[in-house]
Amino acid sequence: MGLTYEDFLDLSYEPRDSDLVCRFRIDPADDQTMESAASRVASESSNGTWAALDTGEDFTDMGATAFAIDGDEIGVAYPPGLFEPGNMPQILSCIAGNIMGMKAVDTIRLLDCEWPREVVEGFTGPGFGSSVREEIFGVEDRPITATVPKPKVGLSTKRHAEVGYEAWIGGLDLLKDDENLTDQSFNPFADRLAESFDARDRAQEETGEVKSYLINVTADTQTMLERTDMVAEAGGEYVMVDVVTTGWGAVQTVRDRCEELGLAIHAHRAMHAAFDRLPHHGVSMRVLAQISRLVGVDQLHTGTAGLGKLANEDTVGINDWLRSDLYGMRDVLPVASGGLHPGLVPKLLEATGPNICVQAGGGVHGHPEGTEAGARALRAAVEAAVLDEPLEVRAQESPELGAALEKWGTETPR
Ligand code: CAP
Ligand code: MG
C-alpha cells in the first residue's frame, strides 16, 4: 500500500476522544493550497515523509489526520499510540518538530492542544499546584508575594541574602533568584543557599510567618539534581528551574526527584518568547503552559495581563486553562511578574483573581526608602486589593504604599 500526503487529509474525520488534537495556524507556501499544506503538516508530524511509501504488511498506522481547515487554521488529530507515555520531548518532536521548518509552509504556529486522558495519565503533573499557598504558607485569602533582587546578577552572596531578609521582614512570602543567577563566582550557589536560608530562618522567627526561597537550580540535569538535593537538605520548600532553557526532559527528571523530596517547582519561562512572540510562527505560550503542567511544575510565569513591562499572550485565558479540570491533575499557580509595582496590583487582581503569586523586582527595590519599605508597600497593596479597598485609602495607614504610589502611580512602566 502506498502512503502519500493525500492519505493524511480527511475533512470528514471526527477526532476520537483518545486522539491528541492540535490546532495550528499556517501560511502555505506559494506552491501550496491549504489542503496540501495541511496534509503535509499531519504527515511530517506523525509517520509520513516527502516520498510515497510502500508500507508493507508489518506496520501499525500511526498517521495523523488533518481533519479541519478553518480560515488560516487547521485541526490535526493524532492517535495516542504515536506517543510514548510520559515522554514530553518525544511528543514535541511530533507536534512541534520538523514541521516548524517545513518549506511547504511559510509560517506555522502550534496554537492549542486538547490532551486526551491516555496522554495526560502518562505524566505525574504538579505535586502541589496552587495548594502551595495553603500547604506551604498557610494563606488562602490572598495571593502569595515574591521579589527578585535587582540588579539581576552581580550582588554578593551577603548582599543578596540581606535583600531577601529585608523583603521577608517587610511582609513578602518568597525571595526568588533571577533567571540568569545560578552559580557564578560573585555569588556561588552553595554559599547563597546557606546564607539565604539562615536569613529566612531569622525572618520567620521575627515575623511569625512562613517564608520561603526560590533558589535557581538551572544547569545540566545532573547538576540540577545535585542542587535539588542540597535544597532539600537545607530545609527548602522549592527549587526554581528555567524550564524552557533547561528543556522538558530535564524538568521531568527534576520533577521526579522533587516528588521523592517533597519539594515544589517554580518555573521561570525565560526564552519562551523565542517560541511564542511572533503570532504566526512557533509554539504559543498556551501550549508551553500546558506542557509545564503536564511535566509537573507548581508555579509558572504567565505574565501580567498586559499591565507590566513585557509582551504577554492571553494571561487570563492561560491561567484559566492552568486551573481547568484535566482528569484530576493538580492545577498550576500562575505567577504575574515583569514590571509590576504596588499601584498595578488592583488592576492585576481584577484580571486574574487572587489565586496567583504576585512577583515584583524593580517595583520593590526601586522604592524610594528601599527594599523593606518596598515590600511593605507591595504587601499592603495586595491586602487592600483583595478587600476591594482603594489603594489611596490603604495608603493612609501605610506610608510606604503612599510613597510607592507617589513614585509610580498606577501606570505601566516602559
Ligand atoms: C521581573 C523579572 C522576571 C520577568 C520574567 C525580570 O523583574 O525578574 O524575570 O518578570 O517575565 O528579570 O524582568 P521586574 P515573565 O519585576 O523588576 O520587572 O514573568 O513575563 O516570564
Ligand atoms: Mg527576572
Side-chain angles (χ1 to χ4, degrees):
M1 182 192 91
L3 197 58
T4 64
Y5 282 135
E6 287 68 41
D7 294 315
F8 295 87
L9 180 76
D10 179 358
L11 297 179
S12 66
Y13 180 77
E14 286 194 18
R16 300 189 175 94
D17 287 349
S18 57
D19 288 345
L20 170 56
V21 175
C22 295
R23 207 158 51 81
F24 296 93
R25 176 179 296 144
I26 63 171
D27 181 10
D30 285 347
D31 61 347
Q32 300 288 325
T33 61
M34 278 302 280
E35 283 78 5
S36 67
S39 68
R40 282 162 172 75
V41 170
S43 163
E44 186 66 42
S45 58
S46 59
N47 66 350
T49 187
W50 61 273
L53 298 178
D54 184 359
T55 53
E57 298 286 294
D58 202 6
F59 160 73
T60 309
D61 188 5
M62 287 297 141
T65 307
F67 66 91
I69 297 177
D70 186 10
D72 61 357
E73 294 184 12
I74 63 170
V76 180
Y78 298 85
L82 173 64
F83 305 113
E84 178 188 341
N87 185 339
M88 186 54 78
Q90 188 268 341
I91 294 177
L92 292 175
S93 294
C94 298
I95 64 174
N98 289 359
I99 51 172
M100 291 292 149
M102 248 171 62
K103 285 182 178 168
V105 289
D106 286 344
T107 57
I108 174 167
R109 181 176 178 84
L110 174 55
L111 295 169
D112 198 3
C113 300
E114 278 169 50
W115 301 89
R117 179 189 285 276
E118 197 172 327
V119 173
V120 171
E121 286 180 346
F123 294 93
T124 356
F128 294 83
S130 69
S131 77
V132 289
R133 290 199 308 158
E134 209 200 329
E135 288 188 36
I136 297 179
F137 299 99
V139 300
E140 262 181 293
D141 51 343
R142 65 166 172 85
I144 54 172
T145 54
T147 191
V148 49
K150 298 287 173 178
K152 289 179 189 264
V153 287
L155 295 177
S156 68
T157 305
K158 184 165 171 287
R159 184 63 201 139
H160 197 271
E162 270 169 16
V163 170
Y165 174 77
E166 288 166 24
W168 279 318
I169 59 165
L172 301 189
D173 303 299
L174 283 159
L175 168 68
K176 179 182 122 9
D177 283 353
D178 227 319
E179 67 281 352
N180 53 354
L181 177 66
T182 54
D183 185 32
Q184 291 101 316
S185 57
F186 57 82
N187 190 350
F189 182 88
D191 297 351
R192 188 164 75 255
L193 182 76
E195 290 203 28
S196 303
F197 278 110
D198 192 54
R200 176 290 275 271
D201 292 346
R202 283 188 285 122
Q204 273 192 163
E205 213 157 287
E206 279 170 46
T207 60
E209 291 184 338
V210 176
K211 306 291 180 184
S212 192
Y213 177 30
L214 307 173
I215 185 163
N216 189 4
V217 300
T218 298
D220 64 88
T221 312
Q222 185 54 40
T223 306
M224 284 202 288
L225 292 178
E226 287 160 18
R227 291 181 186 166
T228 300
D229 289 345
M230 289 164 75
V231 173
E233 204 149 302
E237 292 77 21
Y238 285 93
V239 293
M240 167 176 157
V241 180
D242 295 343
V243 290
V244 181
T245 58
T246 295
W248 303 107
V251 178
Q252 289 189 259
T253 306
V254 171
R255 167 71 184 97
D256 289 346
R257 184 63 63 90
C258 287
E259 177 77 25
E260 287 166 28
L261 300 171
L263 297 180
I265 299 176
H266 176 94
H268 196 289
R269 59 176 178 166
M271 203 172 119
H272 73 95
F275 296 91
D276 66 27
R277 186 158 186 181
L278 299 178
H280 289 279
H281 195 73
V283 178
S284 69
M285 182 59 210
R286 184 179 179 85
V287 172
L288 295 179
Q290 295 171 349
I291 296 165
S292 302
R293 183 175 179 187
L294 290 167
V295 300
V297 311
D298 298 284
Q299 307 188 166
L300 171 70
H301 289 239
T302 61
T304 57
L307 294 165
K309 70 179 184 187
L310 301 167
N312 292 161
E313 173 195 317
D314 189 22
T315 301
V316 171
I318 292 169
N319 291 357
D320 284 347
W321 189 91
L322 289 173
R323 297 178 182 123
S324 64
D325 181 48
L326 191 63
Y327 305 109
M329 183 173 275
R330 281 191 187 248
D331 66 352
V332 174
L333 185 74
V335 179
S337 174
L340 287 180
H341 58 75
L344 292 170
V345 171
K347 276 190 248 170
L348 175 70
L349 297 198
E350 204 177 297
T352 63
N355 194 9
I356 62 166
C357 174
V358 179
Q359 207 287 136
V364 167
H365 314 295
H367 190 281
E369 291 140 40
T371 296
E372 186 182 332
R376 287 189 197 289
L378 185 62
R379 173 79 178 257
V382 165
E383 285 183 350
V386 288
L387 297 174
D388 259 342
E389 182 184 322
L391 294 189
E392 311 76 61
V393 174
R394 181 59 67 114
Q396 287 163 15
E397 60 191 62
S398 170
E400 297 89 354
L401 178 57
L405 293 176
E406 202 168 305
K407 180 162 185 185
W408 293 310
T410 56
E411 301 309 313
T412 291
R414 295 297 295 176

